[in-house]
Amino acid sequence: MTYKVKLEAFEGPLDLLLHLINRLEIDIYDIPMAELTNQYIEHLHAMRVLKLDELSEYLVLAATLLEIKSKMLLPVHEGEALDESSDFEMEEDPRDELVARLIEYKKYKEAAITLKESAEERSVHFTKLPGDLSQYGELVAPETEDKLNVFDLIGAFQKMLERKKLRAPLTANIMRSEISVSEKMDHIMIILERQGGSCDFDSLFESGDIEGLVVTFLSLLELMKRSDIVVLQDNNFGKMTVTTGMEESYGNN
Amino acid sequence: METIDDRIIGMLESFLFIAGDDGLTLKNISTLLQTDEESAVIIAEQLRLNYENRSCAGITLRLYGGSYRLVTKAEYADDILRMLENPTRNPITQASLEVLAIIAYKQPVTRVEIDDLRGVKSDGPIQTLVAKGFIMEKGRLESSGRPILYGTTELFLDKFGLESIDMLPPLVDSDEEPFGDTDLFMSKFQEAFEMTDEGGNND
Amino acid sequence: METIDDRIIGMLESFLFIAGDDGLTLKNISTLLQTDEESAVIIAEQLRLNYENRSCAGITLRLYGGSYRLVTKAEYADDILRMLENPTRNPITQASLEVLAIIAYKQPVTRVEIDDLRGVKSDGPIQTLVAKGFIMEKGRLESSGRPILYGTTELFLDKFGLESIDMLPPLVDSDEEPFGDTDLFMSKFQEAFEMTDEGGNND
């Protein structure tokens, strides 16, 4: 039988074994060692083109599989297997330890899936930044008598990254859809008109998020290119002034 | 008690609103409302019910990691994602999830125990989980090498929507029966009567 | 128009909730609700009326400086001041802890860099941390204004139980798993198996 298998990434030899057991529809409590070992080694073979050091853990398990397989081939077992009543002695089964390991691992693998679902459920609930109470007074921080925990630092840092995500979008995303360069160009010209033909370069950049500032800057460049405005600077690092291009004295190259 | 004063519910809402994602513990709430914790639970539950019963409410109350937080209702998630800059959710790899599950259920636990359970080295995932603030050192094992014992953090509980570590769903085996050794034996016993061939590939 | 859909009111509440102190302009609101500004005004007004008419509401809607904001009701102002005296859990405030984390990991670092990273001014927490002796001036940056460079102190190491600053657990951005190699390995591994696989013919 030939079929295509799309394999997910394996998390280790036990994960690979579970995958094979599942795919081959093997009963985990009665693993056909020969078949499973062959399949496992076939997979290892394909993996061998990859990094060897990452394979070492897989190889250790391969050795275990082979050992179990050979133990099961011992004639004592075959003889007993013919006799139904001797099944009570299956606690001696060389596969027991492996089965126990697989089952234990599987439990946590499934718990991981549950955790992931739980995290997904949680992720549809958004919360807000704490309100700013600084205008009412200092937050009182009690004296730090005990040892503090480094992991609190990490927690604080991660929380801050989360908060930044909440803070950024509300300004940025909305702005982007709203203000185009051409709109901003009109806006700048209106400001210039109101202020009698000139204004501080900096004043155009006083508010807005990064997107907004970039749009403002692009608009200025475009206006300069069209010679609608001229940007003047008295000396290096001096204040820059934006004026409407009316003032002929500076020309408009 | 039968009728909770409207004003105290409003007060709790205002506190929770200010606290935002810091949330408030039951202790915080009872201190702030100047009441005992038992009453605080009842008031919080009434606030939650108010939100749930009001279809025009965009927010509701949740308890994560021991802290009550106001959060937006799930039904608006897509609308909110629309306005978020970078709606990609924090990806966590399968390996990290496995390690996290082991730590959550077996804590405190050493790296070696985790490695043994998974059959692979778990240094990488552990490092990631520490950096994400989901796990932390909970002391050292008093044995040779004094290995670090790991446990989960409150941030883990928050991000995974758990009220407390006791609220983790019980570990289950994929088969319906949560079986011990006896059951393992019994199922083997049964199988032995059903079929004896090693191949088992009868499809 | 006569009867406003409950859902859109809830949606507006959820948006305003997340916007917090920043608030939303009418234009923002109409964009987000995908409606015109006239309707947005009506929806916002309905939300405001809901808050005002509900005596158990702790928050309400206000229009300040062109932005709609959810705010706590005036009647709870005195109660909220209690929150200043009853800080939650940590013996050090969340804000200070954030600033301390940034300084610990990124030192030497200027106030402006810290502000940028947090997205809020950090003068207060920095002052507190200097006063507590956790951080100190470690020189000046040779650029315009010669801003102060901050770093952590011995006391910081002592209080946080660190032998040296190198003993801080590694930190990664939450978005990236630090183990590119593993992923590369896995993707190669997957590639290797994307091909046709001979299975089940080995008895």
Side-chain angles (χ1 to χ4, degrees):
Chain A
M1 175 167 50
T2 304
Y3 50 94
K4 272 203 167 186
V5 207
K6 193 175 157 78
L7 297 179
E8 60 273 82
F10 298 120
E11 298 306 334
L14 293 177
D15 198 24
L16 174 54
L17 265 194
L18 278 182
H19 170 84
L20 293 174
I21 287 168
N22 193 36
R23 199 194 68 183
L24 300 171
E25 294 176 17
I26 291 171
D27 179 354
I28 197 167
Y29 299 113
D30 187 20
I31 297 172
M33 287 311 297
E35 186 182 3
L36 188 64
T37 306
N38 285 345
Q39 284 282 319
Y40 183 86
I41 289 173
E42 244 177 63
H43 280 72
L44 274 200
H45 188 71
M47 288 165 77
R48 197 142 32 151
V49 295
L50 305 167
K51 280 194 203 162
L52 245 182
D53 53 332
E54 269 140 349
L55 279 178
S56 61
E57 286 144 344
Y58 287 85
L59 292 171
V60 169
L61 193 75
T64 309
L65 291 177
L66 287 167
E67 190 191 340
I68 297 170
K69 185 179 150 189
S70 62
K71 272 188 191 161
M72 291 188 67
L73 289 175
L74 291 178
V76 187
H77 253 275
E78 283 192 352
E80 277 182 348
L82 296 173
D83 184 359
E84 283 180 6
S85 62
S86 71
D87 282 319
F88 287 105
E89 287 164 31
M90 283 187 82
E91 54 207 285
E92 296 289 318
D93 196 318
R95 298 172 294 185
D96 283 357
E97 199 191 322
L98 178 69
V99 169
R101 273 187 81 190
L102 280 172
I103 287 170
E104 182 74 354
Y105 171 68
K106 199 173 173 208
K107 271 200 300 197
Y108 291 100
K109 193 174 160 60
E110 263 143 35
I113 294 167
T114 313
L115 271 187
K116 194 178 178 194
E117 286 166 358
S118 172
E120 275 161 11
E121 265 173 52
R122 168 68 179 91
S123 72
V124 300
H125 297 290
F126 298 88
T127 185
K128 70 184 276 288
L129 298 168
D132 181 9
L133 291 181
S134 57
Q135 62 208 21
Y136 302 105
E138 280 287 299
L139 267 173
V140 187
E143 278 314 299
T144 48
E145 54 309 320
D146 302 323
K147 280 261 187 274
L148 290 156
N149 198 315
V150 174
F151 295 89
D152 286 339
L153 279 184
I154 293 173
F157 194 84
Q158 289 302 340
K159 215 165 173 184
M160 183 196 67
L161 292 179
E162 289 287 314
R163 286 177 177 182
K164 264 189 74 172
K165 274 189 203 158
L166 274 184
R167 202 186 300 268
L170 283 144
T171 42
N173 226 16
I174 297 162
M175 292 291 282
R176 181 162 26 195
S177 56
E178 278 180 9
I179 296 191
S180 66
V181 170
S182 65
E183 279 172 328
K184 190 74 196 179
M185 283 163 61
D186 291 344
H187 189 62
I188 291 169
M189 291 312 285
I190 290 166
I191 291 174
L192 284 172
E193 210 171 295
R194 277 196 200 138
Q195 306 206 351
S198 78
C199 71
D200 272 0
F201 181 85
D202 290 350
S203 71
L204 295 171
F205 291 92
E206 269 168 7
S207 61
D209 51 82
I210 291 171
E211 301 283 338
L213 298 181
V214 169
V215 169
T216 303
F217 190 67
L218 290 175
S219 307
L220 284 173
L221 289 179
E222 185 62 26
L223 286 169
M224 284 167 76
K225 205 171 99 189
R226 295 185 184 187
S227 305
D228 287 340
I229 60 162
V230 178
V231 177
L232 307 171
Q233 188 176 33
D234 293 339
N235 48 46
N236 280 351
F237 309 114
K239 205 164 227 182
M240 291 193 286
T241 310
V242 181
T243 71
T244 50
M246 298 300 123
E247 294 164 50
E248 292 298 320
S249 55
Y250 288 91
N252 40 14
N253 62 304
Chain B
M1 225 204 77
E2 302 77 36
T3 51
I4 302 163
D5 183 25
D6 269 357
R7 190 171 191 281
I8 206 152
I9 293 177
M11 199 188 290
L12 176 58
E13 188 183 41
S14 72
F15 288 142
L16 287 165
F17 179 78
I18 297 288
D21 70 350
D22 282 345
L24 293 173
T25 63
L26 198 56
K27 202 172 165 206
N28 295 152
I29 292 174
S30 62
T31 307
L32 289 169
L33 296 181
Q34 301 173 320
T35 178
D36 55 274
E37 295 196 6
E38 204 177 307
S39 308
V41 171
I42 295 168
I43 297 163
E45 178 59 14
Q46 187 57 53
L47 178 61
R48 193 187 69 79
L49 282 176
N50 287 357
Y51 289 130
E52 295 299 327
N53 293 336
R54 214 166 53 233
S55 63
C56 66
I59 56 177
T60 187
L61 180 60
R62 284 292 156 100
L63 177 60
Y64 296 127
S67 290
Y68 286 90
R69 286 181 184 81
L70 294 184
V71 297
T72 57
K73 282 188 175 172
E75 59 190 289
Y76 299 110
D78 288 343
D79 302 293
I80 290 163
L81 281 175
R82 232 178 343 118
M83 71 198 258
L84 290 187
E85 171 116 349
N86 214 347
T88 50
R89 287 170 187 166
N90 237 347
I92 177 161
T93 61
Q94 184 61 32
S96 295
L97 268 175
E98 279 184 25
V99 172
L100 191 54
I102 293 168
I103 293 173
Y105 283 93
K106 289 182 93 82
Q107 60 185 312
V109 63
T110 65
R111 188 184 49 71
V112 173
E113 288 174 87
I114 299 166
D115 288 352
D116 283 353
L117 222 149
R118 297 182 64 226
V120 279
K121 291 227 182 305
S122 306
D123 313 56
I126 287 175
Q127 204 183 325
T128 306
L129 291 168
V130 166
K132 278 181 190 286
F134 291 157
I135 61 168
M136 62 180 284
E137 187 178 326
K138 294 270 172 142
R140 300 262 180 172
L141 194 66
E142 290 308 328
S143 75
S144 79
R146 305 191 66 243
I148 297 173
L149 288 163
Y150 292 98
T152 52
T153 62
E154 275 182 31
L155 187 68
F156 158 74
L157 294 174
D158 178 15
K159 290 298 156 203
F160 286 77
L162 297 164
E163 286 184 19
S164 72
I165 199 67
D166 307 323
M167 298 300 279
L168 274 175
L171 277 178
V172 281
D173 291 291
S174 48
D175 301 344
E176 41 300 84
E177 296 286 321
F179 52 87
D181 287 343
T182 325
D183 293 314
L184 181 61
F185 172 71
M186 284 310 288
S187 60
K188 276 187 176 177
F189 180 68
Q190 279 172 348
E191 279 159 28
F193 281 95
E194 278 158 26
M195 55 169 139
T196 44
D197 63 322
E198 200 197 86
N201 50 350
N202 44 345
D203 30 8
Chain C
M1 223 198 75
E2 302 76 34
T3 51
I4 302 163
D5 183 24
D6 268 357
R7 191 173 191 279
I8 205 152
I9 294 178
M11 200 188 289
L12 177 58
E13 187 182 41
S14 72
F15 288 146
L16 286 165
F17 175 75
I18 290 187
D21 293 342
D22 293 337
L24 294 173
T25 65
L26 193 57
K27 205 167 176 190
N28 293 156
I29 292 173
S30 61
T31 308
L32 288 168
L33 297 182
Q34 300 174 321
T35 178
D36 55 87
E37 294 195 8
E38 202 177 310
S39 309
V41 170
I42 296 167
I43 297 163
E45 177 58 14
Q46 187 57 54
L47 179 62
R48 193 187 67 79
L49 282 176
N50 287 358
Y51 288 130
E52 295 301 326
N53 294 335
R54 215 167 52 235
S55 62
C56 66
I59 55 176
T60 186
L61 181 60
R62 285 278 181 276
L63 178 61
Y64 295 125
S67 285
Y68 286 89
R69 284 183 189 84
L70 294 185
V71 295
T72 55
K73 280 188 175 172
E75 59 189 291
Y76 299 111
D78 289 342
D79 301 293
I80 284 171
L81 290 181
R82 278 209 295 278
M83 292 185 81
L84 294 174
E85 294 144 28
N86 292 289
T88 51
R89 183 170 57 93
N90 284 322
I92 178 166
T93 61
Q94 172 70 22
S96 296
L97 213 47
E98 275 180 26
V99 172
L100 190 54
I102 294 168
I103 294 174
Y105 280 97
K106 294 195 179 283
Q107 60 187 311
V109 62
T110 66
R111 189 183 50 72
V112 173
E113 288 175 89
I114 298 166
D115 288 353
D116 282 354
L117 229 125
R118 296 183 64 221
V120 281
K121 291 236 179 296
S122 307
D123 311 58
I126 287 176
Q127 235 176 301
T128 311
L129 291 168
V130 170
K132 279 186 189 294
F134 287 163
I135 61 167
M136 61 181 286
E137 189 178 325
K138 294 266 173 144
R140 299 261 179 173
L141 193 66
E142 291 307 327
S143 75
S144 79
R146 305 192 66 246
I148 297 173
L149 288 163
Y150 292 98
T152 52
T153 61
E154 295 275 321
L155 183 68
F156 162 77
L157 294 177
D158 179 32
K159 285 281 181 189
F160 281 80
L162 292 164
E163 285 175 28
S164 75
I165 199 67
D166 307 323
M167 299 297 279
L168 273 176
L171 197 60
V172 286
D173 257 316
S174 53
D175 287 342
E176 48 192 58
E177 293 280 335
F179 306 101
D181 285 349
T182 317
D183 290 346
L184 185 61
F185 170 67
M186 281 310 174
S187 58
K188 276 191 182 168
F189 188 70
Q190 270 179 324
E191 269 167 41
F193 282 93
E194 291 288 348
M195 54 179 136
T196 308
D197 192 352
E198 292 276 311
N201 57 345
N202 45 347
D203 299 69

